[in-house]
Amino acid sequence: MPPKRSASVDEQAEQLRLELGITTIPVPVERIARALGAQLRYSPLENEISGMIFIRDGAPIIGVNSLHHVHRQRFTIAHEIGHLRLHRDQLAASVHVDKSFPVLRRDEQSATGTDQIEVAANRFAAALLVPQAIIDAEFKNKPSDIDDESPIEALSKKLRVSKQTLEYRIRNLEKSA
Ligand SMILES: [Zn+2]
């Protein structure tokens, strides 16, 4: 038997939704976090801090900046779920704090070290929040024009994600197609 190719980060996010039987949008990120045994804590934090994750007595705790827009909070939770699924070993030692996800805007090719972990968590988050099937249904067989803002705007509202997250996900899907 040929060795099984390990699933990409995007695929792992899609698989998690499947595992939990989640087929509706907006994707219920809080429910997913709880299904993985994580506790959610909302509190007002400094503006530059999006959230954090740490493990206490074997239980993951996800902190979310309650002052941020709900779309950003949802992305933060999905990003921390990404760390939980992809980097659980690294979480054991310390509190992982996330600041404003700068890597979303940076050229991913140049990402190294810590940044790679953040890029992976961002990709996971976008794939968790934006199912490929929704993008396919929305844009297949239609003259796709990412510069036309209106379908992006409407879909981002339906998914309860920022336009930035939706565009990032569409770019990732185009690259891997
Ligand atoms: Zn992170």
Side-chain angles (χ1 to χ4, degrees):
M1 231 168 49
K4 226 171 151 186
R5 189 176 62 89
S6 64
S8 72
V9 166
D10 291 352
E11 286 164 351
Q12 290 182 64
E14 297 270 358
Q15 276 164 16
L16 176 58
R17 261 191 281 99
L18 277 180
E19 260 171 59
L20 299 173
I22 289 163
T23 54
T24 53
I25 57 166
V27 172
V29 271
E30 293 176 304
R31 182 145 71 84
I32 294 173
R34 293 198 181 99
L36 297 176
Q39 286 178 34
L40 291 161
R41 302 221 175 126
Y42 295 87
S43 45
L45 303 168
E46 279 174 57
N47 189 48
E48 64 166 6
I49 297 176
S50 302
M52 64 191 69
I53 183 165
F54 55 97
I55 313 274
R56 184 184 287 162
D57 301 330
I61 296 172
I62 294 173
V64 183
N65 191 340
S66 60
L67 300 177
H68 284 170
H69 189 285
V70 65
H71 290 173
R72 181 130 173 233
Q73 292 185 28
R74 285 169 52 75
F75 189 87
T76 298
I77 296 167
H79 175 101
E80 305 305 352
I81 292 171
H83 284 313
L84 192 55
R85 294 291 275 194
L86 305 169
H87 315 122
R88 183 154 187 149
D89 292 349
Q90 283 115 300
L91 296 178
S94 62
V95 178
H96 176 86
V97 178
D98 281 302
K99 297 185 176 183
S100 65
F101 308 120
V103 281
L104 256 189
R105 293 181 295 274
R106 213 182 298 157
D107 179 11
E108 291 191 359
Q109 300 302 321
S110 66
T112 55
T114 315
D115 277 2
Q116 274 179 12
I117 289 175
E118 298 314 317
V119 168
N122 284 341
R123 277 197 75 126
F124 186 98
L128 190 67
L129 291 164
V130 182
Q132 178 168 8
I134 300 290
I135 299 296
D136 289 349
E138 198 78 18
F139 297 108
K140 225 168 221 172
N141 308 320
K142 289 178 198 163
S144 107
D145 182 3
I146 197 167
D147 296 325
D148 180 1
E149 286 287 301
S150 44
I152 299 282
E153 178 117 40
L155 187 56
S156 71
K157 279 187 187 138
K158 255 198 268 181
L159 291 161
R160 303 191 81 203
V161 301
S162 67
K163 283 197 296 181
Q164 189 193 20
T165 296
L166 180 54
E167 285 164 357
Y168 173 75
R169 172 65 162 144
I170 291 171
R171 282 199 305 273
N172 286 341
L173 282 168
E174 281 169 352
K175 270 187 263 172
S176 60

